[in-house]
Amino acid sequence: MAKTIRLVLQCSRQIQKKHGSHETNVRQNIQLKIGPMDLLIVRQRTWQYFLISGPALDEVCEAQELATAGEVILSAAAWEQCEQQSLRTRTCAGKRARKVTDMDWMPWSESQDVLRRLVQYPMEHRLEGEGAMRPPLMPHDPDAEEEIRKYIPEAALRKLDDRVPLDFFSELRPVTSLFVQLRLAAGSSKEDFCVILRNASRMMLEILRPHNGEINKVLLFDKGCTFLCVFGLTGEKLPYESVHALQCASQISYACPMMLREIQAVSVAVTSGTVFCGVLGHPLRHEYTVIGQKVNLAARMMVNYPGLVSCDAVTYAASRLPPHYFKKLEDKEMKGLEHPGTVYEYLGITKEDIFGMALTTERSEELPLLGREKEIDLFRSCLEAYKDLGQRHILAFEGRLGSGRSHLLTELAHLGQEAGYRVVAMKLVEVNMRQSFSALRTLMARALGLHDCESSSARQSVLQEKLQGTIEESSYCHLNDIFLVEFPVSDKVRKMHETERKNELHATWTKVLEKTIGGEFGIVVIGNAHFIDLASWSIMSPVLRNISLFMVISLAPGYARTENFRKAAADNTTPQKITYLRLAELKPSAVVQKVCKSLGVVSISRDLARFLIQRSSGNPYYCEELLRCLRSNDMLLFRTRRQGEKAEDNWESLITSAVEASSLPAPSSSSAGTDGRVCIIRPDVNLENTVLPATLKEVVLAQLDRTKPLKQMILKFAAVIGPVFTTQMLSHILPADVRHKMNCLLDMLVSDNILKWLKDTELPEDAQEGPAICPQAEHGMESPCLSRKAVQQQCSVLAFRVPLLREVAYELWPARQRGTLHRKCAAFLEQHAHKCQSCGQGDFVAFHRFAVTSTQDGGSSRALQEPRGVCWGSGGSRSARDQPRSAAESEQAAELPSKTDGKSSSACSCECEAIVESVLVPLARHYKAMGDTARAFYYLLECAAAYLHVSNIYMALMKLNEAEVLRNSVAERAKVIARFEEATFFSLKGEASWRMGRVKLAKKMIRKALSLLKRHFPRTIVGAFVQSQVEKLPCAAWQHSSQRQNSLGSSPPAAYQRLWREKGLHLEVVIFCASR
């Protein structure tokens, strides 16, 4: 035993030295704790768990509490039996455990001898080269698969059954973690433990499964056990996930002590956030679990707030429940957490909201309802028919989450009040669906005015006053439970049998409901009517068929109540008339108008409008959340536009004026084009890098999780490519064992309305021509991502129907895998990063690739073999310009004297616009995502030069501004960006400035470019012409030399190359100045 302990300590210190503190993608410090253990199995018919138990558990728990990252703690029992003379230790705060600081290493031969004596299992079950590890589970029984599946979480089983490669199991996924600690009575035996844990596990699963929760781990400690439950694993994401978790936590906290007397106390902690969710451990002992800072926080909260249901600030905010559902707890120090944040106790439903939530009838002047004219007109016409004919009518609006259902109902309720009708408005939440008679209570309480009563006696007085003559005095006691009053139980009711009392109860509630909402013309407005519970509907449904009432309700798809209303609306035999209408997405003009109203501006920039229109997909809630995210992160810039105001002559002013010139006024704004506030994106902000708000990520991820795991994997790979992608590139980055399924999976995703095929005549919202901004530019709603010509030239092109879904899928990738895929995408595209064949096939920045050899060499993807089957030409086959070319041929094809004097994009033979948008822009994005600043800057310059080449000045300015932001972020600029690129950068800025009519600024930028090349700015046109002729001589000589060297199979000397690229850029600048 002593030798074994010494060997274990030696292995522990080696592991700590290599992996003792490891920073993961979710900022989780991994540490090692050592201690003896026994094995305990708790099982049911469909699941089984491994548990740790045994007499040494107390010491292990004590050692674990004393351990910090990078330490090895030896328990007291192990210390007594080890070779103490070979260890250097010290006591731990008066405890019996010892902290190992140093030790004498065991010789190799001795350690191998200990291993041979220790290992008793057959050789075929050992792991090669891994030492004396516990043998993996390798049963020979062919039926053992069913037994093994019981140990695997359901989320992992779904991926295994769908044949998802194990390498792609792991994700960075937002989940809600729930830790439950059960404190057991002292003296429980091992057999008692098993029975208690089996019953507790069964009870928890019954609570968790309706909410898509799952038990991930069960851990024993000295006086009880701990359960780690997770909501939102792959395929299990639900909207309002934090609400589901809090409900489960409250039910578990209440049910366990009530049903299991051996449990003395229950502590529950709930946290929400992004964690690593996937497989860990040795390839033969994988474990599917979650790790992360939020998981740690939940464990610490469970210990520090015993006997309570606690939650973190993120869960509190994400639940969007009323504040009186929670109580703020005192701050406590938690081990391993510097800033745990505010912690709340979840109280659940209290008397304050026992009568439900009111739906306000006051319209907001700051946020008026926009884009719902059709719905308002329908309401008015139905209300008029109800008034004239007295016919009962139900007007139902179905809309997705965030479609503005509540806002619409508020407006309709306000219009009803203005028309002189009595309006009873209420709003349900998901909690109401699981509480019997909750909707009925809320409706009657709102109609009777009970929600304003502070005491039960006040409610009794109101009930007696308003229900006089409606029900008998002996029946008032039937209202006690539903309205929280205390009427004395009458003798008549006391003598009733259970069935008779239940019937009398329903009859009494029916009379009260008829009295409260019938008998006069009125309007009942119910928000989220799909949350009406079954018990309430059993009473409400007959009443609604018998009284004259106008009801307006909102519904969400995917609920049984919604489906019932839809079928009833289609059935002409129903006694009441039901009009059913689905809420459509807001039009782009309505989105722009909504944003301008929210920001208090007369116009917004085109980039901001495009971002919000594309990402929101016409969903008002999405638009509001995105706008709130931009504002909270200080990404917006507000300026006051004044006619005739003279702009400053600098680059920042040029960018701002270009953005303002393309701003879009609100459709209803009469002040557009005059003085007023304008909102634009800050110049240093790139909207492509905007992180989605957690609220939207949860909603969209729930939609993504409705697809099967293998489809999700295809979407995740496509998301790395971009919002628009080709099947060729997708096939290039997919794993080899999945490629043969790609076409079938893509067809299924198209049929699921997640992707769409792009045809020659169809463009996605984010794949349309960009605006050409110049002093005489026209304004429109176009996006500069991918032109029509680009789409037509690419065969098998697909696009995401919902851009947010693509962004959510992209953020699921762990950083290392994401970087690898970006590198593959860059390798695929880099072969085509040049001008089209009609323009000479050279770089858009002349001699660019040869001028920055240091940038192109280290880590370049050009040397990789070109992917086959790429079709860029309009005929669907590879053109001659896609064939590999030698360096000399590339240089001969490069143009002089200007980057931008090529053919216009309107020429039918030029394909450069398609290339820049399909190749160069994605390349810059891929390298930025990889963190390769040098190559990202390289391709941003190529993008800017290409846009100037095709006369798209606006996009050239945007790419140059993006390059400047990237350039300013580099600490040691000289080591990353070559002098040639610096000069090219200012040269391009000069040309863009001239095209915008800023001659003075253009000269300033040109002088900066020449100074970097140690050249002088020509003073006259004649001087520029003479100097250009003089400098053509060495250029021509070098070109002749390069041709000769190429014919001999060698390259020109490096000095000649350096002379040519500097002379070439100088020559471009000189001729540019002379021609202007």
Side-chain angles (χ1 to χ4, degrees):
M1 178 60 71
K3 294 288 186 183
T4 302
I5 294 175
R6 185 179 174 187
L7 179 62
V8 171
L9 282 174
Q10 184 168 313
C11 293
S12 301
R13 290 185 62 81
Q14 288 178 333
I15 293 173
Q16 284 286 19
K17 185 176 180 181
K18 188 174 182 181
H19 303 291
S21 182
H22 177 63
E23 192 75 13
T24 67
N25 291 319
V26 287
R27 297 176 297 173
Q28 167 66 30
N29 285 324
I30 301 173
Q31 54 180 312
L32 177 69
K33 288 116 179 180
I34 307 299
M37 62 188 71
D38 291 335
L39 189 63
L40 178 68
I41 299 179
V42 177
R43 68 184 70 199
Q44 285 270 333
R45 183 176 60 85
T46 58
W47 52 264
Q48 292 183 176
Y49 299 110
F50 284 115
L51 300 177
I52 299 172
S53 180
L57 190 58
D58 293 351
E59 293 188 358
V60 172
C61 292
E62 178 184 342
Q64 186 269 340
E65 290 297 326
L66 298 173
T68 58
E71 295 180 343
V72 176
I73 305 296
L74 196 62
S75 68
W79 170 249
E80 293 174 359
Q81 300 182 53
C82 71
E83 297 177 343
Q84 299 182 6
Q85 68 278 4
S86 62
L87 305 178
R88 264 75 70 190
T89 64
R90 65 170 184 265
T91 58
C92 299
K95 304 292 183 179
R96 296 187 302 163
R98 311 282 295 188
K99 182 181 296 184
V100 179
T101 58
D102 198 4
M103 64 178 295
D104 297 332
W105 291 92
M106 185 181 296
W108 174 257
S109 57
E110 186 178 356
S111 64
Q112 293 302 304
D113 183 61
V114 174
L115 283 176
R116 280 191 295 270
R117 295 199 304 270
L118 181 64
V119 177
Q120 300 296 328
Y121 48 85
M123 181 65 69
E124 62 268 17
H125 285 180
R126 297 190 197 176
L127 303 179
E128 292 293 335
E130 295 296 334
M133 299 175 66
R134 178 178 54 83
L137 186 61
M138 294 182 177
H140 299 288
D141 186 356
D143 299 327
E145 181 180 351
E146 288 301 319
E147 289 299 315
I148 296 176
R149 289 175 64 90
K150 295 179 181 180
Y151 293 98
I152 303 175
E154 293 181 9
L157 283 176
R158 279 191 290 271
K159 292 191 174 186
L160 288 173
D161 294 341
D162 215 24
R163 305 296 181 184
V164 175
L166 196 63
D167 292 340
F168 301 103
F169 266 46
S170 302
E171 295 176 331
L172 291 180
R173 175 173 277 263
V175 302
T176 300
S177 305
L178 188 150
F179 262 101
V180 181
Q181 185 182 79
L182 304 181
R183 180 79 53 174
L184 305 181
S188 300
S189 64
K190 185 175 180 180
E191 290 75 15
D192 293 336
F193 255 155
C194 286
V195 175
I196 295 170
L197 293 179
R198 184 172 61 251
N199 293 335
S201 299
R202 183 179 64 253
M203 185 183 303
M204 289 185 191
L205 286 174
E206 290 175 356
I207 295 173
L208 294 171
R209 279 176 175 166
H211 301 267
N212 284 11
E214 185 175 318
I215 296 177
N216 184 260
K217 280 185 180 180
V218 183
L219 305 171
L220 289 183
F221 63 102
D222 54 339
K223 297 178 182 178
C225 63
T226 299
F227 292 80
L228 169 59
C229 311
V230 186
F231 297 80
L233 293 175
T234 302
E236 297 176 345
K237 197 73 174 178
L238 289 176
Y240 308 109
E241 182 178 86
S242 56
V243 177
H244 290 279
L246 290 171
Q247 291 178 24
C248 290
S250 181
Q251 292 178 44
I252 291 172
S253 177
Y254 175 79
C256 285
M258 291 289 294
M259 304 298 293
L260 302 174
R261 296 180 180 179
E262 299 86 352
I263 297 177
Q264 294 182 337
V266 181
S267 305
V268 189
V270 184
T271 59
S272 302
T274 300
V275 302
F276 176 85
C277 172
V279 290
L280 298 172
H282 190 277
L284 291 182
R285 295 188 179 86
H286 274 316
E287 177 187 18
Y288 188 86
T289 187
V290 294
I291 60 171
Q293 194 178 37
K294 287 295 182 177
V295 180
N296 259 8
L297 176 59
R300 300 304 179 193
M301 286 166 50
M302 175 191 66
V303 174
N304 283 275
Y305 300 97
L308 302 176
V309 177
S310 58
C311 70
D312 66 337
V314 177
T315 305
Y316 167 81
S319 68
R320 299 200 167 194
L321 293 173
H324 51 261
Y325 275 61
F326 302 89
K327 175 186 175 182
K328 185 178 178 181
L329 298 173
E330 62 175 333
D331 296 336
K332 293 185 179 181
E333 291 187 5
M334 301 185 193
K335 179 183 175 183
L337 299 171
E338 294 183 3
H339 304 289
T342 306
V343 180
Y344 297 88
E345 179 186 1
Y346 177 68
L347 304 175
I349 295 180
T350 61
K351 290 185 179 181
E352 290 184 60
D353 59 352
I354 197 67
F355 297 126
M357 299 173 61
L359 181 71
T360 180
T361 58
E362 299 296 328
R363 61 163 58 136
S364 173
E365 297 297 334
E366 297 180 357
L367 296 174
L369 183 67
L370 301 172
R372 297 302 182 197
E373 292 78 11
K374 176 182 176 181
E375 290 79 2
I376 293 175
D377 291 342
L378 177 62
F379 169 79
R380 284 175 171 158
S381 61
C382 293
L383 186 61
E384 192 69 25
Y386 167 68
K387 178 181 178 181
D388 295 339
L389 304 177
Q391 183 182 17
R392 44 186 173 269
H393 197 120
I394 297 179
L395 182 57
F397 296 101
E398 178 190 329
R400 296 183 296 118
L401 176 66
S403 59
R405 301 189 307 259
S406 297
H407 199 175
L408 175 62
L409 261 59
T410 297
E411 180 69 17
L412 299 183
H414 180 81
L415 293 175
Q417 281 187 338
E418 281 188 340
Y421 291 91
R422 173 175 175 256
V423 177
V424 178
M426 63 182 241
K427 182 180 179 180
L428 301 176
V429 294
E430 190 168 8
V431 178
N432 301 121
M433 191 166 59
R434 294 179 173 84
Q435 296 173 341
S436 296
F437 303 108
S438 175
L440 182 65
R441 177 197 296 121
T442 302
L443 177 59
M444 292 193 296
R446 294 284 164 184
L448 294 169
L450 298 181
H451 57 282
D452 295 326
C453 300
E454 297 183 356
S455 63
S456 61
S457 59
R459 290 192 290 274
Q460 286 182 203
S461 300
V462 172
L463 289 172
Q464 288 174 329
E465 177 185 349
K466 295 191 174 182
L467 299 180
Q468 187 175 8
T470 303
I471 59 176
E472 299 178 359
E473 288 291 333
S474 60
S475 300
Y476 274 102
C477 58
H478 289 306
L479 307 179
N480 287 346
D481 292 336
I482 192 169
F483 292 130
L484 300 181
V485 289
E486 299 174 356
F487 287 108
V489 180
S490 63
D491 294 337
K492 177 182 177 181
V493 173
R494 188 180 293 110
K495 294 177 182 179
M496 291 180 179
H497 296 293
E498 186 67 27
T499 304
E500 187 180 2
R501 182 181 298 181
K502 183 177 180 181
N503 294 335
E504 179 69 17
L505 180 71
H506 281 213
T508 301
W509 288 357
T510 300
K511 293 177 182 179
V512 174
L513 182 61
E514 290 177 346
K515 171 66 176 179
T516 54
I517 66 175
E520 60 177 305
F521 284 111
I523 302 174
V524 174
V525 181
I526 303 179
N528 298 332
H530 49 279
F531 290 144
I532 297 177
D533 59 280
L534 290 174
S536 295
W537 188 247
S538 65
I539 296 176
M540 292 172 62
S541 181
V543 172
L544 294 176
R545 289 195 294 265
N546 297 325
I547 64 174
S548 178
L549 181 71
F550 185 65
M551 178 179 286
V552 183
I553 61 175
S554 67
L555 301 163
Y559 291 88
R561 186 78 58 226
T562 303
E563 189 63 27
N564 292 337
F565 272 105
R566 188 186 298 118
K567 291 179 180 179
D571 185 4
N572 296 325
T573 62
T574 54
Q576 71 264 47
K577 181 175 176 57
I578 300 177
T579 302
Y580 198 91
L581 182 67
R582 287 188 177 90
L583 297 180
E585 294 84 5
L586 293 181
K587 295 180 180 179
S589 59
V591 173
V592 173
Q593 186 178 4
K594 178 180 179 63
V595 174
C596 290
K597 288 283 187 181
S598 301
L599 298 176
V601 298
V602 297
S603 63
I604 59 175
S605 68
R606 188 183 309 274
D607 292 337
L608 176 59
R610 184 179 63 251
F611 174 80
L612 294 174
I613 290 170
Q614 291 175 4
R615 300 306 193 277
S616 68
S617 300
N619 188 301
Y621 173 68
Y622 290 7
C623 182
E624 292 169 5
E625 287 297 305
L626 290 167
L627 193 60
R628 186 179 295 114
C629 176
L630 295 177
R631 299 191 72 174
S632 62
N633 292 315
D634 195 25
M635 294 182 174
L636 303 180
L637 183 64
F638 296 90
R639 294 175 59 86
T640 302
R641 182 173 61 188
R642 297 182 177 87
Q643 283 188 332
E645 182 181 10
K646 186 176 180 181
E648 299 180 14
D649 200 13
N650 55 41
W651 179 254
E652 292 76 14
S653 174
L654 175 62
I655 294 295
T656 303
S657 62
V659 174
E660 288 183 359
S662 65
S663 61
L664 299 173
S668 62
S669 176
S670 60
S671 59
T674 63
D675 295 355
R677 294 181 75 215
V678 179
C679 180
I680 63 175
I681 302 295
R682 297 184 70 91
D684 57 343
V685 170
N686 185 358
L687 291 178
E688 291 182 1
N689 301 329
T690 304
V691 178
L692 283 180
T695 50
L696 292 189
K697 186 182 295 186
E698 180 180 82
V699 173
V700 179
L701 190 54
Q703 299 174 7
L704 180 64
D705 271 357
R706 297 186 190 127
T707 63
K708 289 188 176 181
L710 199 57
K711 293 182 185 178
Q712 285 190 38
M713 192 188 77
I714 294 292
L715 291 173
K716 286 165 59 180
F717 275 93
V720 176
I721 300 173
V724 179
F725 61 94
T726 64
T727 54
Q728 293 93 336
M729 184 180 291
L730 182 60
S731 176
H732 178 69
I733 65 175
L734 278 176
D737 52 350
V738 181
R739 287 174 189 160
H740 67 284
K741 305 177 184 178
M742 183 188 73
N743 290 331
C744 179
L745 291 169
L746 289 176
D747 287 334
M748 288 190 287
L749 289 168
V750 170
S751 64
D752 294 338
N753 289 324
I754 296 174
L755 300 176
K756 59 180 178 180
W757 295 100
L758 297 185
K759 301 178 181 178
D760 291 350
T761 58
E762 181 185 5
L763 289 177
E765 292 181 1
D766 53 349
Q768 300 181 12
E769 293 181 0
I773 301 301
C774 62
Q776 296 83 23
E778 295 182 356
H779 308 311
M781 285 301 301
E782 296 86 354
S783 162
C785 294
L786 191 65
S787 68
R788 183 179 302 277
K789 198 168 190 177
V791 175
Q792 291 175 347
Q793 287 178 343
Q794 297 182 23
C795 53
S796 303
V797 182
L798 294 100
F800 284 85
R801 287 187 177 273
V802 181
L804 282 182
L805 191 142
R806 176 253 163 188
E807 296 180 24
V808 167
Y810 176 80
E811 291 180 7
L812 292 175
W813 283 108
R816 184 176 299 178
Q817 289 181 321
R818 189 187 304 169
T820 301
L821 293 176
H822 279 296
R823 191 172 292 107
K824 287 185 177 182
C825 292
F828 182 93
L829 292 172
E830 211 164 23
Q831 305 291 334
H832 313 284
H834 49 70
K835 292 181 180 179
C836 66
Q837 186 176 12
S838 63
C839 294
Q841 296 187 297
D843 295 329
F844 287 96
V845 175
F847 313 104
H848 198 178
R849 73 188 66 186
F850 309 109
V852 284
T853 52
S854 59
T855 303
Q856 293 294 334
D857 289 343
S860 173
S861 305
R862 292 182 184 272
L864 299 177
Q865 184 178 359
E866 181 182 359
R868 297 183 180 274
V870 183
C871 48
W872 297 101
S874 58
S877 59
R878 290 185 56 195
S879 58
R881 63 185 178 84
D882 289 332
Q883 304 298 333
R885 295 169 287 121
S886 65
E889 290 173 337
S890 300
E891 291 185 23
Q892 291 167 16
E895 293 188 356
L896 277 179
S898 174
K899 311 174 196 59
T900 61
D901 62 355
K903 299 181 181 181
S904 171
S905 58
S906 61
C908 60
S909 59
C910 181
E911 301 171 356
C912 290
E913 190 173 7
I915 292 173
V916 62
E917 294 163 351
S918 303
V919 180
L920 297 181
V921 172
L923 271 172
R925 179 174 57 83
H926 288 307
Y927 278 117
K928 284 182 69 176
M930 292 162 54
D932 193 336
T933 304
R935 297 184 70 77
F937 189 79
Y938 173 94
Y939 282 109
L940 285 174
L941 294 184
E942 284 288 307
C943 290
Y947 278 122
L948 289 172
H949 179 75
V950 298
S951 300
N952 192 336
I953 313 304
Y954 177 84
M955 286 308 302
L957 288 171
M958 295 301 102
K959 291 304 172 184
L960 286 171
N961 184 64
E962 190 176 342
E964 181 160 33
V965 173
L966 185 64
R967 174 177 171 269
N968 294 336
S969 67
V970 179
E972 298 180 359
R973 193 178 302 165
K975 294 183 179 179
V976 178
I977 300 175
R979 187 180 64 173
F980 175 86
E981 288 197 303
E982 284 273 306
T984 301
F985 174 60
F986 286 102
S987 174
L988 291 170
K989 289 172 76 172
E991 185 167 355
S993 300
W994 182 87
R995 297 224 186 170
M996 290 292 290
R998 301 288 189 90
V999 179
K1000 186 176 179 180
L1001 180 60
K1003 290 182 178 180
K1004 179 181 176 181
M1005 295 299 169
I1006 294 299
R1007 285 192 179 96
K1008 182 66 175 175
L1010 288 172
S1011 66
L1012 289 169
L1013 297 176
K1014 298 180 181 180
R1015 297 290 191 272
H1016 299 292
F1017 192 84
R1019 297 182 179 179
T1020 64
I1021 296 179
V1022 176
F1025 175 76
V1026 173
Q1027 192 169 353
S1028 66
Q1029 297 302 314
V1030 171
E1031 292 202 359
K1032 280 184 179 180
L1033 297 176
C1035 292
W1038 186 88
Q1039 196 170 29
H1040 175 73
S1041 174
S1042 65
Q1043 295 176 7
R1044 182 180 178 186
Q1045 294 285 346
N1046 182 62
S1047 64
L1048 296 175
S1050 60
S1051 60
Y1056 251 148
Q1057 293 186 30
R1058 185 167 57 254
L1059 172 64
W1060 170 241
R1061 58 181 179 252
E1062 291 188 0
K1063 289 284 188 179
L1065 178 59
H1066 184 206
L1067 181 57
E1068 285 193 44
V1069 174
V1070 167
I1071 296 182
F1072 168 72
C1073 298
S1075 63
R1076 305 302 187 251

